[in-house]
């Protein structure tokens, strides 16, 4: 690829214009998204099918049973092993119809952690995947809330239509009433389960027939106009009439399609299909590309930064240690927000003010690494991280900017971290502080100063295991976990004064986070709701912003 010099080095205006045109074209041709779903909804299967369309893998086939292995490895790593293909475990890039698509992995199953939430901070669009039989499930709801905070467009794919499921109208109603999100069905199913016959494309008024092919084989896409007399022989009349009547109901009482509302995250286009049989995936991808937003502007200390700002900027959204046991390395994943990234470029690290030369940027494909020559807004690159980067750090060229930090998400698992060996305290402290800084886990402190041990607070159990493992392997400290039976945490908006005002609270433990803000821990949602009822004026938050202009308190 011919590299056009960045604007700052441009010897003349026309080269500057050429660069601007190149940048705008690259932005225009990029889309990124993350899939939000509950385990088993079919994320791995859908990912595999999307890769097929992008030509990233050649062979179709259902994802094999993963049994016990699923418990210890990430979905994508697993997929990679099963299929013998090379895909990254953080971001998957593929091209489809001239568009570069970045699919960001949201770790699920045992890998569910704060990283899952943080990944959504780097995504411009989300695909909400539901199992037609189960509807909305807990993990999907939590991830949806994180998307809602940034109002990113949400595209809903209702999967497993080849199996008996809930009534489609009930599924839409659940999304509307429980998520407060309007829906617009792009297609509508004809029958379900054994009687699933296909979908009606509402925009073209065509019936796309479902063929129950061999398991995992791509089904052919036969389209017929809804008035085609041949349909009678292919689809039971009562099923077709029911689908048409339901669509009429939607036309009368449902929301209208409005792209502006889609892009504002207020209206979700809904698709019915079956990832396993590859039914509806291609049309979904086509419509997604038509409606999804491109790399979006991001809030910073200098206001929103447009991707077409000519100088490079980006932020770290994920740090991963020991991705490959052979390398024992740490990688910082950077979402590019503006300008063009080039290999060997020197950037400024906003938090420390240091200049850094990014000499070994990588795209990480499972076990293999490819050096990135250049990358654009919406892309993700991996940087070797010798302890320099923290979650939320901004890298930039040109005028100083700092992107809004990635907030702290409500932890659900809490445990005292004990250090049985007092002579190892120095290393214990160093390890705990560094791992917190890295974002491996949140650290809470007891309000009683005499209880010096930190409380580890995590979103997923694996986070605690990783912290213990790394403390032992990287800092030489063997630790003991002592679980505390709380499951819900809330920050108090009004801080300590608000808490003092209401006095003693029962069935709740008050601790403080690393910015010394009060955090309330509850055994269950019921206790939380009790407090809300007793003190309706007390404002509690499940997500807390990072505190700028103040250093967090270390152990
Ligand atoms: P996840 O990553 O969201 O956890 O889900 P995954 O893709 O692993 O799919 C979970 C299960 O659902 C798998 O079955 C998969 O084959 C099945 N599945 C996915 N999409 C569809 C679909 O459209 N229709 C039907 N009927 N099933 C679907 P499994 O029994 O766990 O594994 P396997 O034995 O099928 O490999």
């Amino acid at each position: 690829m011919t590299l056009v010099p960045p604007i700052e080095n441009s010897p003349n205006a026309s080269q500057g214009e050429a660069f601007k045109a190149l940048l705008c074209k690259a932005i225009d041709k990029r889309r990124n998204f993350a899939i939000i779903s509950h385990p088993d909804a079919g994320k791995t299967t859908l990912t595999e099918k999307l890769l097929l369309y992008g030509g990233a893998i050649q062979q179709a086939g259902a994802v094999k049973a993963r049994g016990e292995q699923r418990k210890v490895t990430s979905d994508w790593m697993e997929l990679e092993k099963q299929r013998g293909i090379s895909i990254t475990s953080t971001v998957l890039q593929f091209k489809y119809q001239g568009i570069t698509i970045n699919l960001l992995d949201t770790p699920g199953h045992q890998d569910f952690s704060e990283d899952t939430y943080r990944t959504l901070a780097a995504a411009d669009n989300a695909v909400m995947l539901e199992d037609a039989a189960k509807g909305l499930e807990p993990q999907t709801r939590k991830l949806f809330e994180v998307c809602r905070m940034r109002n990113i467009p949400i595209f809903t794919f209702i999967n497993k239509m080849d199996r008996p499921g809930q009534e489609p109208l009930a599924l839409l109603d659940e999304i509307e009433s429980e998520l407060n999100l309007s829906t617009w069905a792009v297609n509508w199913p004809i029958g379900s389960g054994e009687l699933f016959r296909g979908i009606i494309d509402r925009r073209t008024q065509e019936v796309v027939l479902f063929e129950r092919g061999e398991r995992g084989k791509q089904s052919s896409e036969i389209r017929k106009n809804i008035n085609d007399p041949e349909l009678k022989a292919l689809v039971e009349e009562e099923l077709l009439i029911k689908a048409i009547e339901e669509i009429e109901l939607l036309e009368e009482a449902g929301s209208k399609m409005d792209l502006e509302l889609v892009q504002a995250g207020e209206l979700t286009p809904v698709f019915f299909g079956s990832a396993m049989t590859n039914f509806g995936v291609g049309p979904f991808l086509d419509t997604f590309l038509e409606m999804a937003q491109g790399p979006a502007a991001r809030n910073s200390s200098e206001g929103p930064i447009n991707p077409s700002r000519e100088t490079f900027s980006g932020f770290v959204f994920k740090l991963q240690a020991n991705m490959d046991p052979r390398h024992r390395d740490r990688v910082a994943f950077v979402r590019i927000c503006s300008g063009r990234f080039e290999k060997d470029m020197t950037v400024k690290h906003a938090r420390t003010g240091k200049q850094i030369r990014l000499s070994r940027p990588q795209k990480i494909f499972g076990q293999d690494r490819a050096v990135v020559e250049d990358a654009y807004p919406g892309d993700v690159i991996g940087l070797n991280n010798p302890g320099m980067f923290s979650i939320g750090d901004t890298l930039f060229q040109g005028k100083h900017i700092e992107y809004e930090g990635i907030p702290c998400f409500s932890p659900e698992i809490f445990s005292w971290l004990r250090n049985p060996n007092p002579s190892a305290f120095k290393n214990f402290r160093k390890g705990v502080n560094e791992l917190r800084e890295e974002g491996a886990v949140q650290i809470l402190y007891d309000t009683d100063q005499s209880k010096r041990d930190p409380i580890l607070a995590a979103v997923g159990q694996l986070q605690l295991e990783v912290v213990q493992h790394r403390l032992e392997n990287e800092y030489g400290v063997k630790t003991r976990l002592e679980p505390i039976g709380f499951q819900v945490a809330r920050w108090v908006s009004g801080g300590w004064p608000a808490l003092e005002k209401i006095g003693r609270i029962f069935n709740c433990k008050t601790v403080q986070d690393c910015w010394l803000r009060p955090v309330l821990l509850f055994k269950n949602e019921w206790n939380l709701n009790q407090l809300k009822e007793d003190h309706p004026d007390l404002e509690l938050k499940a997500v807390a912003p990072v505190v700028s202009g103040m250093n967090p308190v270390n152990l």
Side-chain angles (χ1 to χ4, degrees):
M1 177 184 280
T2 340
L3 296 184
V4 180
I7 190 101
E8 285 178 340
N9 307 333
S10 296
N12 59 48
S14 70
Q15 267 193 336
E17 273 163 31
F19 173 69
K20 181 95 187 169
L22 176 93
L23 180 61
C24 289
K25 193 167 164 219
I27 293 167
D28 199 39
K29 296 267 178 230
R30 265 170 173 73
R31 296 292 180 272
N32 87 19
F33 71 100
I35 300 178
I36 59 172
S37 65
H38 194 81
D40 283 338
K43 190 182 71 168
T44 316
T45 313
L46 181 66
T47 302
E48 188 187 48
K49 296 302 184 292
L50 292 170
L51 289 184
L52 271 172
Y53 282 96
I57 56 173
Q58 264 71 47
Q59 205 189 349
V63 180
K64 295 250 161 38
R66 290 176 296 276
E68 282 303 296
Q69 284 182 328
R70 170 181 284 173
K71 298 195 173 74
V72 290
T73 46
S74 85
D75 296 351
W76 285 17
M77 292 278 195
E78 196 49 40
L79 184 71
E80 203 174 311
K81 267 202 242 152
Q82 294 282 338
R83 309 237 126 262
I85 52 170
S86 285
I87 55 173
T88 157
S89 54
T90 290
V91 65
L92 247 176
Q93 193 178 69
F94 61 95
K95 261 200 167 165
Y96 179 71
Q97 294 187 348
I99 306 279
T100 301
I101 302 172
N102 290 303
L103 170 48
L104 304 169
D105 185 22
T106 42
H109 292 292
Q110 294 298 312
D111 293 345
F112 190 64
S113 69
E114 267 185 283
D115 277 343
T116 313
Y117 292 134
R118 289 179 190 137
T119 299
L120 295 177
D124 291 313
N125 301 278
V127 171
M128 183 162 77
L129 181 66
E130 275 189 31
D131 179 328
K134 296 185 178 153
L136 285 174
E137 294 181 85
Q139 205 158 295
T140 320
R141 287 171 206 262
K142 285 183 203 163
L143 294 169
F144 169 79
E145 287 309 327
V146 176
C147 296
R148 174 59 36 111
M149 281 166 34
R150 289 180 43 242
N151 296 323
I152 59 174
I154 314 259
F155 297 81
T156 304
F157 188 91
I158 298 187
N159 192 28
K160 306 195 187 182
M161 288 306 293
D162 57 310
R163 288 223 298 236
Q166 295 182 31
E167 278 297 319
L169 283 173
L171 289 166
L172 294 200
D173 191 49
E174 185 180 47
I175 296 172
E176 301 229 345
S177 56
E178 294 196 21
L179 302 183
N180 195 16
L181 176 68
S182 304
T183 59
W184 195 81
V186 178
N187 62 32
W188 197 253
I190 307 169
S192 79
E194 283 301 311
L195 294 176
F196 182 54
R197 297 292 176 252
I199 49 107
I200 299 173
D201 183 329
R202 277 178 81 187
R203 294 189 299 176
T204 62
Q205 292 290 299
E206 282 172 318
V207 171
V208 187
L209 293 165
F210 172 66
E211 271 186 304
R212 201 169 288 274
E214 208 182 306
R215 193 192 143 89
K217 281 272 160 65
Q218 181 161 352
S219 52
S220 54
E221 198 182 278
I222 301 170
R223 287 180 172 254
K224 299 252 175 239
N225 186 280
I226 202 158
N227 298 315
D228 190 329
E230 273 183 40
L231 268 184
K232 276 212 169 89
L234 299 166
V235 179
E236 294 87 334
E237 200 177 2
E238 65 274 20
L239 293 180
L240 193 60
I241 290 175
K242 179 172 180 273
I244 292 172
E245 281 175 359
E246 285 172 341
I247 291 179
E248 281 168 3
L249 196 74
L250 290 177
E251 299 288 355
E252 274 166 36
S255 309
K256 301 280 169 272
M257 178 57 203
D258 182 333
L259 192 57
E260 262 180 46
L261 291 183
V262 173
Q263 298 216 336
E266 290 174 31
L267 177 88
T268 181
V270 180
F271 304 77
F272 292 85
S274 161
M276 192 182 78
T277 57
N278 204 4
F279 182 78
V281 179
F284 163 75
L285 189 55
D286 291 338
T287 314
F288 168 80
L289 290 181
E290 187 189 311
M291 296 185 183
Q293 71 170 347
R298 297 222 147 220
N299 285 338
S300 78
S301 52
E302 300 299 308
I305 302 292
N306 221 292
S308 58
R309 172 194 195 256
E310 282 153 25
T311 45
F312 164 83
S313 68
F315 69 91
V316 178
F317 68 94
K318 177 173 165 176
L319 295 175
Q320 194 154 347
N322 298 332
M323 280 197 60
D324 180 346
R326 287 177 312 183
H327 289 84
R328 289 190 54 80
D329 56 359
R330 285 197 245 174
V331 175
F333 290 96
V334 176
R335 145 83 202 223
I336 297 173
C337 297
S338 74
R340 181 175 64 180
F341 169 83
E342 285 166 51
K343 180 175 162 284
D344 289 331
M345 142 189 268
T346 300
V347 300
K348 209 159 190 183
H349 184 229
R351 187 167 49 87
T352 58
K354 285 189 180 143
Q355 297 276 357
I356 309 173
R357 183 159 173 261
L358 305 178
S359 54
R360 278 186 299 158
Q362 297 171 342
K363 273 184 191 168
I364 302 188
F365 296 97
Q367 303 298 314
D368 307 325
R369 283 115 205 270
V371 172
V372 181
E373 293 295 334
D374 61 353
Y376 294 90
D379 288 347
V380 170
I381 50 165
L383 301 175
N384 278 323
N385 170 26
M388 183 181 294
F389 301 119
S390 295
I391 298 281
D393 279 359
T394 301
L395 303 176
F396 66 94
Q397 280 195 327
K399 196 170 166 225
H400 184 104
I401 53 166
E402 246 172 286
Y403 284 107
E404 263 180 7
I406 298 179
C408 310
F409 299 97
S410 179
E412 293 172 24
I413 300 170
F414 305 88
S415 186
W416 289 108
L417 182 68
R418 307 288 191 203
N419 164 35
N421 179 5
S423 66
F425 183 72
K426 233 172 133 186
N427 279 2
F428 175 71
R429 181 161 67 184
K430 184 168 186 276
V432 168
N433 291 337
E434 287 184 2
L435 292 177
R436 180 198 53 72
E437 229 169 72
E438 236 185 57
V441 72
Q442 289 182 48
I443 302 288
L444 301 173
Y445 302 99
D446 202 298
T447 46
D448 179 348
Q449 298 286 325
S450 65
K451 295 184 182 161
R452 288 188 70 192
D453 284 344
I455 299 169
L456 299 187
V459 165
Q461 183 64 33
L462 193 74
Q463 281 181 265
L464 301 191
E465 286 162 28
V466 166
V467 166
Q468 261 200 312
H469 179 84
R470 290 187 56 191
L471 281 173
E472 188 171 344
N473 286 282
E474 293 170 34
Y475 300 89
V477 195
K478 260 199 154 106
T479 53
R480 192 159 43 81
L481 290 176
E482 228 171 82
I484 321 177
F486 295 103
Q487 287 180 6
V488 185
R490 288 292 180 271
W491 280 269
V492 182
S493 297
W496 296 104
L499 264 192
E500 266 157 36
K501 239 175 150 179
I502 64 167
R504 189 166 157 68
I505 311 174
F506 295 94
N507 295 325
C508 158
K509 181 176 174 65
T510 307
V511 294
Q512 47 197 340
D513 72 2
C514 63
W515 280 289
L516 302 182
R517 297 179 289 193
V519 182
L520 304 182
L521 306 185
F522 303 88
K523 287 213 155 50
N524 48 44
E525 290 280 337
W526 195 86
N527 286 343
L528 165 66
N529 289 335
Q530 190 77 39
L531 177 68
K532 283 186 190 163
E533 262 174 42
D534 293 347
H535 301 282
D537 293 340
L538 187 69
E539 210 187 304
L540 301 173
K541 276 197 193 148
V543 178
V546 289
V547 178
S548 54
M550 175 188 166
N551 286 331
V553 171
N554 276 329
L555 180 66

mmCIF file of all heavy atoms in Angstrom, residues 254-272:
data_model
loop_
_atom_site.group_PDB
_atom_site.id
_atom_site.type_symbol
_atom_site.label_atom_id
_atom_site.label_comp_id
_atom_site.label_asym_id
_atom_site.label_seq_id
_atom_site.Cartn_x
_atom_site.Cartn_y
_atom_site.Cartn_z
ATOM 1 N N GLY A 254 -47.414 -0.684 15.421
ATOM 2 C CA GLY A 254 -45.990 -0.690 15.782
ATOM 3 C C GLY A 254 -45.280 0.596 15.402
ATOM 4 O O GLY A 254 -45.872 1.523 14.836
ATOM 5 N N SER A 255 -43.985 0.652 15.746
ATOM 6 C CA SER A 255 -43.187 1.847 15.406
ATOM 7 C C SER A 255 -42.955 1.902 13.906
ATOM 8 O O SER A 255 -43.065 0.891 13.211
ATOM 9 C CB SER A 255 -41.822 1.780 16.079
ATOM 10 O OG SER A 255 -41.959 1.522 17.427
ATOM 11 N N LYS A 256 -42.621 3.077 13.439
ATOM 12 C CA LYS A 256 -42.267 3.243 12.018
ATOM 13 C C LYS A 256 -40.750 3.162 11.907
ATOM 14 O O LYS A 256 -40.034 3.527 12.840
ATOM 15 C CB LYS A 256 -42.734 4.616 11.510
ATOM 16 C CG LYS A 256 -44.228 4.828 11.648
ATOM 17 C CD LYS A 256 -45.002 4.150 10.521
ATOM 18 C CE LYS A 256 -46.500 4.116 10.796
ATOM 19 N NZ LYS A 256 -47.004 2.964 11.562
ATOM 20 N N MET A 257 -40.283 2.706 10.762
ATOM 21 C CA MET A 257 -38.843 2.650 10.552
ATOM 22 C C MET A 257 -38.293 4.072 10.460
ATOM 23 O O MET A 257 -38.844 4.901 9.721
ATOM 24 C CB MET A 257 -38.560 1.888 9.251
ATOM 25 C CG MET A 257 -37.103 1.810 8.915
ATOM 26 S SD MET A 257 -36.184 1.043 10.251
ATOM 27 C CE MET A 257 -34.576 1.674 9.942
ATOM 28 N N ASP A 258 -37.248 4.354 11.224
ATOM 29 C CA ASP A 258 -36.676 5.690 11.218
ATOM 30 C C ASP A 258 -35.172 5.546 11.479
ATOM 31 O O ASP A 258 -34.755 5.229 12.602
ATOM 32 C CB ASP A 258 -37.360 6.522 12.326
ATOM 33 C CG ASP A 258 -36.856 7.957 12.358
ATOM 34 O OD1 ASP A 258 -35.700 8.179 11.942
ATOM 35 O OD2 ASP A 258 -37.601 8.830 12.830
ATOM 36 N N LEU A 259 -34.383 5.752 10.441
ATOM 37 C CA LEU A 259 -32.944 5.529 10.541
ATOM 38 C C LEU A 259 -32.295 6.412 11.608
ATOM 39 O O LEU A 259 -31.363 6.011 12.288
ATOM 40 C CB LEU A 259 -32.282 5.755 9.174
ATOM 41 C CG LEU A 259 -30.839 5.271 9.068
ATOM 42 C CD1 LEU A 259 -30.705 3.785 9.393
ATOM 43 C CD2 LEU A 259 -30.280 5.554 7.682
ATOM 44 N N GLU A 260 -32.832 7.616 11.751
ATOM 45 C CA GLU A 260 -32.262 8.517 12.775
ATOM 46 C C GLU A 260 -32.426 7.921 14.169
ATOM 47 O O GLU A 260 -31.524 7.994 14.996
ATOM 48 C CB GLU A 260 -32.962 9.875 12.732
ATOM 49 C CG GLU A 260 -32.160 10.888 11.947
ATOM 50 C CD GLU A 260 -32.834 12.229 11.882
ATOM 51 O OE1 GLU A 260 -33.311 12.707 12.926
ATOM 52 O OE2 GLU A 260 -32.890 12.783 10.769
ATOM 53 N N LEU A 261 -33.602 7.324 14.400
ATOM 54 C CA LEU A 261 -33.835 6.710 15.714
ATOM 55 C C LEU A 261 -32.954 5.477 15.901
ATOM 56 O O LEU A 261 -32.494 5.193 16.996
ATOM 57 C CB LEU A 261 -35.317 6.342 15.881
ATOM 58 C CG LEU A 261 -36.301 7.507 16.002
ATOM 59 C CD1 LEU A 261 -37.716 6.991 16.240
ATOM 60 C CD2 LEU A 261 -35.906 8.438 17.148
ATOM 61 N N VAL A 262 -32.732 4.743 14.798
ATOM 62 C CA VAL A 262 -31.844 3.572 14.879
ATOM 63 C C VAL A 262 -30.457 4.043 15.299
ATOM 64 O O VAL A 262 -29.837 3.505 16.221
ATOM 65 C CB VAL A 262 -31.764 2.831 13.527
ATOM 66 C CG1 VAL A 262 -30.700 1.723 13.560
ATOM 67 C CG2 VAL A 262 -33.116 2.232 13.151
ATOM 68 N N GLN A 263 -29.975 5.089 14.641
ATOM 69 C CA GLN A 263 -28.615 5.542 14.910
ATOM 70 C C GLN A 263 -28.494 6.231 16.266
ATOM 71 O O GLN A 263 -27.406 6.350 16.808
ATOM 72 C CB GLN A 263 -28.138 6.430 13.771
ATOM 73 C CG GLN A 263 -28.117 5.616 12.466
ATOM 74 C CD GLN A 263 -26.989 5.963 11.541
ATOM 75 O OE1 GLN A 263 -26.455 7.049 11.588
ATOM 76 N NE2 GLN A 263 -26.619 5.029 10.673
ATOM 77 N N ALA A 264 -29.630 6.654 16.820
ATOM 78 C CA ALA A 264 -29.595 7.260 18.155
ATOM 79 C C ALA A 264 -29.790 6.190 19.236
ATOM 80 O O ALA A 264 -29.871 6.500 20.420
ATOM 81 C CB ALA A 264 -30.686 8.322 18.266
ATOM 82 N N GLY A 265 -29.884 4.920 18.820
ATOM 83 C CA GLY A 265 -30.029 3.836 19.792
ATOM 84 C C GLY A 265 -31.415 3.762 20.414
ATOM 85 O O GLY A 265 -31.605 3.153 21.458
ATOM 86 N N GLU A 266 -32.408 4.343 19.749
ATOM 87 C CA GLU A 266 -33.752 4.350 20.333
ATOM 88 C C GLU A 266 -34.703 3.353 19.670
ATOM 89 O O GLU A 266 -35.772 3.055 20.191
ATOM 90 C CB GLU A 266 -34.358 5.759 20.234
ATOM 91 C CG GLU A 266 -33.668 6.728 21.173
ATOM 92 C CD GLU A 266 -34.144 8.146 21.003
ATOM 93 O OE1 GLU A 266 -35.315 8.335 20.650
ATOM 94 O OE2 GLU A 266 -33.326 9.065 21.195
ATOM 95 N N LEU A 267 -34.308 2.877 18.493
ATOM 96 C CA LEU A 267 -35.150 1.926 17.754
ATOM 97 C C LEU A 267 -34.247 0.796 17.260
ATOM 98 O O LEU A 267 -33.211 1.051 16.650
ATOM 99 C CB LEU A 267 -35.772 2.639 16.560
ATOM 100 C CG LEU A 267 -36.621 1.787 15.628
ATOM 101 C CD1 LEU A 267 -38.069 1.746 16.126
ATOM 102 C CD2 LEU A 267 -36.624 2.340 14.218
ATOM 103 N N THR A 268 -34.639 -0.436 17.559
ATOM 104 C CA THR A 268 -33.797 -1.543 17.106
ATOM 105 C C THR A 268 -34.435 -2.280 15.927
ATOM 106 O O THR A 268 -35.584 -2.724 16.023
ATOM 107 C CB THR A 268 -33.479 -2.526 18.262
ATOM 108 O OG1 THR A 268 -32.644 -3.567 17.752
ATOM 109 C CG2 THR A 268 -34.704 -3.171 18.891
ATOM 110 N N PRO A 269 -33.724 -2.397 14.811
ATOM 111 C CA PRO A 269 -34.217 -3.256 13.740
ATOM 112 C C PRO A 269 -34.119 -4.713 14.212
ATOM 113 O O PRO A 269 -33.111 -5.089 14.817
ATOM 114 C CB PRO A 269 -33.233 -2.992 12.584
ATOM 115 C CG PRO A 269 -32.480 -1.759 12.974
ATOM 116 C CD PRO A 269 -32.469 -1.725 14.457
ATOM 117 N N VAL A 270 -35.169 -5.497 13.970
ATOM 118 C CA VAL A 270 -35.182 -6.884 14.463
ATOM 119 C C VAL A 270 -35.199 -7.848 13.286
ATOM 120 O O VAL A 270 -35.933 -7.651 12.305
ATOM 121 C CB VAL A 270 -36.420 -7.129 15.366
ATOM 122 C CG1 VAL A 270 -36.435 -8.565 15.879
ATOM 123 C CG2 VAL A 270 -36.438 -6.149 16.528
ATOM 124 N N PHE A 271 -34.390 -8.898 13.394
ATOM 125 C CA PHE A 271 -34.283 -9.925 12.351
ATOM 126 C C PHE A 271 -34.551 -11.282 12.982
ATOM 127 O O PHE A 271 -34.061 -11.556 14.074
ATOM 128 C CB PHE A 271 -32.860 -9.950 11.770
ATOM 129 C CG PHE A 271 -32.393 -8.628 11.231
ATOM 130 C CD1 PHE A 271 -31.971 -7.632 12.098
ATOM 131 C CD2 PHE A 271 -32.381 -8.379 9.870
ATOM 132 C CE1 PHE A 271 -31.543 -6.405 11.619
ATOM 133 C CE2 PHE A 271 -31.953 -7.156 9.375
ATOM 134 C CZ PHE A 271 -31.537 -6.160 10.260
ATOM 135 N N PHE A 272 -35.290 -12.122 12.281
ATOM 136 C CA PHE A 272 -35.500 -13.487 12.749
ATOM 137 C C PHE A 272 -34.688 -14.414 11.855
ATOM 138 O O PHE A 272 -34.656 -14.214 10.631
ATOM 139 C CB PHE A 272 -36.987 -13.864 12.676
ATOM 140 C CG PHE A 272 -37.833 -13.090 13.660
ATOM 141 C CD1 PHE A 272 -38.316 -11.822 13.339
ATOM 142 C CD2 PHE A 272 -38.134 -13.628 14.903
ATOM 143 C CE1 PHE A 272 -39.086 -11.106 14.247
ATOM 144 C CE2 PHE A 272 -38.914 -12.909 15.814
ATOM 145 C CZ PHE A 272 -39.386 -11.651 15.482
#
